[in-house]
Amino acid sequence: MLQLDFDEKKCLACETRDCLTRCQYMDLDAEAAGTEIQNLINGTDTRVLHDCRTCYACEEYCPMANHPFYLIVSRQEELGIAPLPEPIVKQGIQMGIAFRGDPEIHEVNGPVLNMGVFSPLIRLAQGKLFEGLTLISTDSRKMHHYFCQLMYLHFARTSVIKDRLPKVMATIAAHKPTEVVHFHDECYGTYTSFAPAWGMDVPFSSIHLFEHLYNRLTELRDEIKPLNYKVAYQRPCSSRLSSDKHRFVDKIFDLIGVEHVRRQYRDEDALCCGSTILAQKTPDSRRFCLNQQKKNIEDMKESGAELCIFNCPACMQTIGKQVAENGIMPIWMSDLCRMAIGEQPA
Amino acid sequence: MDSVYRALADIVGEDYVSEQTEELFTYSKDLGTSEPRWPEYVAAPKTADEVSRIVEMANEQKLAVVPLGGGMSLAGLALALRGGITLDLKRMDQILELNEQGRYMVVEAGVSHGKVTSYLHKNAPHLMHSEPGAPPAATIGGNLAIHGQGDLAHPYGFNSDMINGLEVVLPTGEICRMGSCALGNQWYTLRPLPDLSLFMGWSGCTGIITKVSLRLFPCKKIQEQDVFVVENENLVPEILFKLTHVGMAEDLVVVSQEIPPPFNRLHYILINLAGDSREELEFKRQLIFDQNLAKYIQEGTGGIGAAGQDIERPVVSKTSDWRKGGGFEYVGAIVPVGFYPEGFRLGVEISARHEIPYTVLGRVVGCGHSMMFSWTYAFNRADNDTVSHARQALHETDERVLEMGGTLWKPAVFGQKLVMDRMDANTREMMKKVKTLLDPNGIMNPGNWEVA
């Protein structure tokens, strides 16, 4: 039985209660947060379970590394308080079912790039920045065998993740990688945050895509021509699980000569793209989502951003079009990096 | 050289007639489960006059004439069941007139839906026509001959409700016009003259459609698709009722299928919305989601699966070939919207018995006055057992649909017989009189709708 690495003493001793007091979607002072945290610990109903937008941010805000978000979604599942309507939950869970046979496994014995469930975006992993990496999960018919499953945090179904994840890890491990660069933040967060938090052994070592890009760009420093764009970065929810890697965003931007614009919704204060909020059961979620997106994009515009940098396909799909309609070009982080070394974006 | 071939060559030219096996082979089958049936000749006329001359000759020879558009019905409706001449109408593909203010265009019947869409994109981007779910090669005339429906079905009904006039070559060769065009050269209305709509829904058994005045409709600048998902099939009719009451959607389609897994036992209500501005679209979404469907969202019985997705036309056929290279055929039925739950359960049951992953789809026609409900059965063209399974499933579905009070749409011969067996005797007798009157020699697509 997997147990969450959660220490209630740490929580109760916490003075700031940043997990809830800094939440962008709930208005709680430290005292009220303390009450709600106690309810969470006790496993009783609390408004937190109903009002949570599942943005993952509390996982980053927690000064104790005590996994408040994992606790919240676990309690939501235990008490049957799913943030999303049941058909959407079922749809999401069924999305991760592998159904077209097993993938062919080739032993690599070297570094790999794990595309996870984003095989259709394989075009983004080409050129000098990806030289020396063997791609795994390249077949879109078999990609669900590599699907990290972490998306189900948004559905309050940690049980699904815990059930499926060991098989996914075994599939990746079967390639015998020396290290795994993860195309998506979510996969990286799965293997470096979620799995350890639940006491799961991960049979390979993981590298964040941004760390890899930064290292490769450093090696190719002589080929870099500064791009001189003003850019906004759409921070995905899953990067909250690997906040120590977020520094690579600015390190990359500095290296390739783009300006990360100062704006209200940046870094720890970043706003969710809204993909998980749109369909939530809370009354008026749809309009709330639209307002969040509008605030986010207006903020980008006011800051003078020319480009919006994405790393998460869900974010790109959710607001990429709106960003473009507002005169800001949406572009993938990997493409931006490729442009800096004179390559054409995919 | 035989006399029929010579006569056809004299009419259409040597390049557009054939009696060669390798060419007839192409025309001997369609994409469904029907057994191959070979014509003796194929001819591709260019004008209504050529069609007329061929039909006159066929009458003299008592030869069958089978008109063929894109051949996309899947139900074998353009196969030469009694041999004779297959008339390939795809050379009759000219766009003859566009009247933007009057919102209609006059086309030859062999023009494809893809060409019409492309032409409007280029020449009148603020107008659109109702494009069926079929691949773009489906023709305007063929689609009318089977009472097709398209992506404007919800507000405007069947595609055959969306015409202002017709030109038809009768089975005896006369060229005849219906609507205002019968009075001169204006093609702006089909009504209010005496109703002579004897040519649509007959699969070419009463004449050959050669020209059509197609109604066009506003094409808004932004067209997007939203998706509402429910698990309980019994909720679908009431949700569709609410959606048709709001009246904001251009197309309402419900899909459920076993594969891929996200669709399994869930019902995806696809809502196509159009607007000339973001504000117009948002207004429509507020009415739909925040007012009419909010109850389901907050109860947790229904949810927004997606919003603002780009629309690729045609939508339906893109989802059909999920086996990539396999085959499929479907039973389509025109049913009340309230039929959906039972239709879904029927599809699951029959599909499971024949070991075929189930696929069902319903498209609202005419503000909820009816629904086209389809049960698709996939098969592997190279595997006769799977073809046979699919055919059995199709026949069982035909029977069950009629037992349940449904009406078969573009049925194959098997279904046509079931329909005629159940038809009111006076109505069947009238069909017979019409058929005999129009086609005294029984040469038009014989084997289909055989009342005579």
Side-chain angles (χ1 to χ4, degrees):
Chain A
M1 185 74 171
L2 298 169
Q3 290 291 327
L4 179 63
D5 178 18
F6 175 82
D7 183 349
E8 65 181 66
K9 291 195 196 85
K10 281 187 190 173
C11 249
L12 296 173
C14 177
E15 291 183 357
T16 66
R17 278 131 193 189
D18 280 350
C19 59
L20 296 183
T21 57
R22 292 188 62 189
C23 175
Q24 291 161 296
Y25 307 108
M26 281 182 266
D27 185 18
L28 290 169
D29 59 23
E31 188 181 346
T35 306
E36 303 301 351
I37 288 166
Q38 185 66 64
N39 288 335
L40 271 176
I41 290 168
N42 294 344
T44 54
D45 198 359
T46 148
R47 58 170 286 201
V48 172
L49 301 180
H50 300 268
D51 294 350
C52 175
R53 296 295 185 176
T54 71
C55 76
Y56 298 18
C58 51
E59 210 42 37
E60 178 176 15
Y61 297 153
C62 175
M64 312 284 189
N66 208 21
H67 305 304
F69 182 63
Y70 298 151
L71 180 67
I72 290 170
V73 292
S74 298
R75 293 289 189 249
Q76 283 178 324
E77 183 168 13
E78 287 161 19
L79 298 174
I81 306 171
L84 291 159
E86 273 307 306
I88 301 297
V89 173
K90 185 171 179 182
Q91 172 199 24
I93 291 171
Q94 292 184 168
M95 198 175 286
I97 297 173
F99 69 105
R100 280 184 164 138
D102 294 325
E104 285 181 31
I105 304 285
H106 301 287
E107 290 188 12
V108 179
N109 296 310
V112 301
L113 177 69
N114 171 32
M115 293 301 294
V117 78
F118 297 111
S119 310
L121 295 177
I122 207 162
R123 67 183 187 281
L124 297 175
Q126 56 178 315
K128 289 181 186 172
L129 297 172
F130 297 94
E131 278 175 3
L133 286 178
T134 302
L135 270 59
I136 58 172
S137 185
T138 55
D139 184 343
S140 59
R141 295 168 304 172
K142 310 287 175 66
M143 65 187 183
H144 288 97
H145 290 276
Y146 297 83
F147 178 27
C148 70
Q149 314 279 332
L150 205 69
M151 178 179 85
Y152 300 125
L153 290 175
H154 292 304
F155 299 78
R157 288 292 193 278
T158 49
S159 58
V160 175
I161 308 170
K162 288 184 283 183
D163 176 51
R164 295 178 182 171
L165 188 52
K167 294 168 213 155
V168 176
M169 288 195 289
T171 301
I172 295 173
H175 287 281
K176 303 246 187 287
T178 50
E179 58 188 19
V180 182
V181 178
H182 298 286
F183 173 78
H184 193 207
D185 290 89
E186 191 112 326
C187 295
Y188 183 81
T190 304
Y191 304 117
T192 60
S193 170
F194 183 88
W198 286 92
M200 301 167 84
D201 291 328
V202 180
F204 46 80
S205 64
S206 295
I207 308 282
H208 194 282
L209 177 66
F210 290 175
E211 187 172 0
H212 168 79
L213 289 173
Y214 177 74
N215 291 340
R216 281 295 290 147
L217 284 166
T218 304
E219 288 167 8
L220 298 166
R221 187 185 292 269
D222 294 344
E223 297 180 36
I224 294 174
K225 290 198 173 64
L227 292 171
N228 295 319
Y229 288 117
K230 290 180 157 189
V231 303
Y233 173 61
Q234 174 55 41
R235 192 176 179 199
C237 53
S238 45
S239 82
R240 305 286 190 169
L241 310 183
S242 54
S243 53
D244 59 319
K245 302 297 176 186
H246 183 58
R247 64 195 166 92
F248 283 105
V249 172
D250 279 334
K251 285 168 74 78
I252 289 171
F253 289 167
D254 287 345
L255 200 54
I256 63 176
V258 298
E259 178 190 341
H260 191 185
V261 294
R262 307 303 310 179
R263 63 188 189 111
Q264 186 176 353
Y265 304 117
R266 207 188 106 153
D267 301 326
E268 288 188 354
D269 297 321
L271 283 178
C272 164
C273 72
S275 78
T276 183
I277 299 175
L278 176 78
Q280 288 181 340
K281 285 193 287 191
T282 311
D284 232 8
S285 278
R286 191 191 71 84
R287 270 200 277 204
F288 178 80
C289 168
L290 294 184
N291 285 336
Q292 292 294 112
Q293 292 171 340
K294 191 175 171 190
K295 275 163 61 177
N296 193 5
I297 293 170
E298 284 299 320
D299 189 39
M300 290 181 201
K301 282 167 70 176
E302 283 168 17
S303 69
E306 300 166 289
L307 309 179
C308 177
I309 313 306
F310 287 90
N311 196 50
C312 170
C315 294
M316 178 66 107
Q317 187 179 7
T318 304
I319 60 167
K321 191 161 83 171
Q322 290 180 53
V323 165
E325 285 172 353
N326 279 276
I328 301 171
M329 180 183 285
I331 186 167
W332 298 97
M333 178 66 105
S334 55
D335 270 348
L336 182 77
C337 295
R338 291 186 65 207
M339 286 164 63
I341 55 169
E343 293 183 358
Q344 291 291 317
Chain B
M1 186 178 297
D2 73 49
S3 60
V4 173
Y5 177 88
R6 188 67 263 157
L8 288 170
D10 286 346
I11 295 168
V12 300
E14 291 276 358
D15 289 344
Y16 300 106
V17 61
S18 179
E19 57 179 349
Q20 298 297 310
T21 303
E22 60 271 28
E23 289 181 289
L24 298 180
F25 170 80
T26 307
Y27 293 88
S28 70
K29 49 188 180 180
D30 75 1
L31 303 170
T33 59
S34 300
E35 299 285 354
R37 305 301 287 266
W38 288 66
E40 294 157 78
Y41 311 92
V42 58
K46 180 66 180 159
T47 65
D49 183 60
E50 289 179 6
V51 174
S52 167
R53 289 165 63 196
I54 291 170
V55 171
E56 284 177 356
M57 183 272 290
N59 264 291
E60 289 166 12
Q61 303 279 342
K62 304 289 188 292
L63 259 179
V65 177
V66 179
L68 169 73
M72 302 283 176
S73 79
L74 301 172
L77 299 177
L79 293 181
L81 302 180
R82 304 276 159 79
I85 306 163
T86 291
L87 275 194
D88 185 336
L89 299 170
K90 287 193 285 293
R91 285 180 70 218
M92 299 176 64
D93 65 348
Q94 298 303 299
I95 291 168
L96 304 171
E97 181 190 351
L98 170 66
N99 186 322
E100 290 187 55
Q101 201 167 48
R103 288 201 176 115
Y104 71 85
M105 66 195 294
V106 183
V107 301
E108 290 185 317
V111 71
S112 70
H113 277 274
K115 183 169 176 176
V116 169
T117 298
S118 171
Y119 179 87
L120 290 173
H121 257 299
K122 191 172 174 186
N123 297 287
H126 48 286
L127 293 173
M128 64 189 289
H129 82 300
S130 184
E131 194 173 87
T139 63
I140 296 291
N143 186 255
L144 291 175
I146 59 168
H147 277 314
Q149 322 88 41
D151 53 12
L152 294 174
H154 168 224
Y156 306 116
F158 286 84
N159 284 357
S160 44
D161 294 323
M162 302 181 203
I163 61 164
N164 284 336
L166 278 181
E167 179 188 84
V168 180
V169 174
L170 299 182
T172 41
E174 298 93 333
I175 300 174
C176 192
R177 286 182 172 182
M178 317 290 152
S180 56
C181 61
L183 307 176
N185 289 323
Q186 299 291 306
W187 290 76
Y188 62 89
T189 185
L190 188 63
R191 315 286 185 224
L193 300 172
D195 196 343
L196 290 168
S197 301
L198 302 172
F199 306 97
M200 292 177 285
W202 280 83
S203 306
C205 291
T206 52
I208 301 169
I209 300 168
T210 49
K211 287 192 186 73
V212 180
S213 172
L214 272 185
R215 289 182 194 163
L216 305 174
F217 300 91
C219 182
K220 301 267 187 172
K221 288 178 188 161
I222 312 169
Q223 298 187 339
E224 292 181 340
Q225 185 173 80
D226 296 348
V227 183
F228 197 70
V229 189
V230 298
E231 185 171 3
N232 179 355
E233 66 269 21
N234 294 319
L235 291 177
V236 171
E238 67 181 62
I239 290 173
L240 290 179
F241 187 79
K242 286 175 185 286
L243 288 170
T244 51
H245 180 83
V246 179
M248 293 296 177
E250 289 198 335
D251 198 10
L252 284 174
V253 172
V254 193
V255 186
S256 184
Q257 54 193 55
E258 192 167 339
I259 295 174
F263 285 80
N264 191 17
R265 307 284 172 152
L266 290 171
H267 307 277
Y268 284 66
I269 302 172
L270 314 181
I271 306 165
N272 285 11
L273 296 177
D276 281 327
S277 66
R278 284 277 153 214
E279 289 73 23
E280 185 180 348
L281 277 171
E282 175 55 17
F283 171 69
K284 292 178 177 180
R285 288 194 171 109
Q286 283 180 27
L287 290 178
I288 290 172
F289 296 111
D290 305 341
Q291 293 185 26
N292 282 276
L293 302 185
K295 165 178 161 311
Y296 305 99
I297 295 168
Q298 285 157 35
E299 282 175 0
T301 53
I304 301 171
Q309 296 188 125
D310 291 332
I311 295 174
E312 275 188 78
R313 301 174 81 194
V315 174
V316 177
S317 61
K318 287 195 193 312
T319 65
S320 300
D321 187 26
W322 56 265
R323 278 191 166 180
K324 302 292 177 198
F328 77 99
E329 186 175 337
Y330 63 91
V331 169
I334 306 302
V335 294
V337 172
F339 181 92
Y340 184 90
E342 207 175 346
F344 163 70
R345 293 189 286 267
L346 174 69
V348 171
E349 181 233 316
I350 293 184
S351 300
R353 205 150 20 79
H354 291 278
E355 299 176 348
I356 301 169
Y358 84 85
T359 301
V360 299
L361 176 148
R363 166 176 262 157
V364 173
V365 182
C367 199
H369 296 127
S370 62
M371 168 180 267
M372 192 290 290
F373 193 102
S374 66
W375 298 259
T376 295
Y377 301 110
F379 55 88
N380 178 347
R381 293 184 188 287
D383 181 343
N384 283 336
D385 280 349
T386 67
V387 176
S388 174
H389 264 295
R391 194 180 295 123
Q392 286 171 33
L394 290 162
H395 289 180
E396 278 182 45
T397 308
D398 278 346
E399 289 173 338
R400 293 284 295 279
V401 166
L402 290 170
E403 286 165 12
M404 292 156 71
T407 311
L408 295 179
W409 169 48
K410 59 166 179 173
V413 171
F414 179 86
Q416 292 169 20
K417 286 178 179 159
L418 294 179
V419 169
M420 287 186 292
D421 285 348
R422 287 162 175 76
M423 190 178 275
D424 171 77
N426 290 336
T427 307
R428 193 171 57 239
E429 190 58 27
M430 184 181 164
M431 271 184 79
K432 183 176 174 181
K433 286 176 184 170
V434 167
K435 175 70 177 163
T436 307
L437 175 71
L438 290 174
D439 184 18
N441 292 316
I443 65 164
M444 286 307 304
N445 204 1
N448 282 287
W449 293 117
E450 289 225 311
V451 282

